[in-house]
Amino acid sequence: MASKRLLKRDMNNVFGDIIEAAYIHQETHPDEDPAKTEAIVDEAIADFDALIVQINQKDVENKKQHFKAVEKEFGAKAEALVQKVNAL
């Protein structure tokens, strides 16, 4: 299990890369609707905030199991966002 600090750092890096990729697509394709990329950015920020709240929960019985579940959810959300950016 990764520490809280490393998990938060990984999440920040991955979601930051996804947001950066969305903005790069928006800059390189100015004729397309920017609302699509803005929706992806908004979703990435909302997912990041929700996962941070889950990580910072104090009333967790089994911390190891809790962090594994958060890490699994993080992977699924990141993969979904990457697929949306690739579909642009």
Side-chain angles (χ1 to χ4, degrees), residues 18 40 76-88:
I18 292 169
I40 292 172
K77 288 184 177 194
E79 180 66 31
L81 286 169
V82 167
Q83 289 178 357
K84 287 182 182 182
V85 169
N86 289 340
L88 289 176

Side-chain angles (χ1 to χ4, degrees), residues 1 57-58 60-68:
M1 177 185 83
Q57 283 181 341
K58 298 291 183 190
V60 177
E61 291 183 23
N62 188 346
K63 288 187 179 188
K64 185 175 183 179
Q65 184 179 18
H66 174 71
F67 285 122
K68 281 189 178 191

Side-chain angles (χ1 to χ4, degrees), residues 23-88:
Y23 281 137
I24 288 172
H25 179 271
Q26 186 175 4
E27 289 293 320
T28 57
H29 298 89
D31 55 330
E32 291 186 16
D33 185 19
K36 293 176 183 179
T37 56
E38 293 296 329
I40 292 172
V41 170
D42 291 341
E43 185 178 349
I45 293 170
D47 288 346
F48 177 80
D49 290 343
L51 289 170
I52 290 293
V53 168
Q54 287 181 2
I55 288 173
N56 291 330
Q57 283 181 341
K58 298 291 183 190
D59 58 343
V60 177
E61 291 183 23
N62 188 346
K63 288 187 179 188
K64 185 175 183 179
Q65 184 179 18
H66 174 71
F67 285 122
K68 281 189 178 191
V70 170
E71 197 170 15
K72 185 176 181 181
E73 184 177 350
F74 160 56
K77 288 184 177 194
E79 180 66 31
L81 286 169
V82 167
Q83 289 178 357
K84 287 182 182 182
V85 169
N86 289 340
L88 289 176

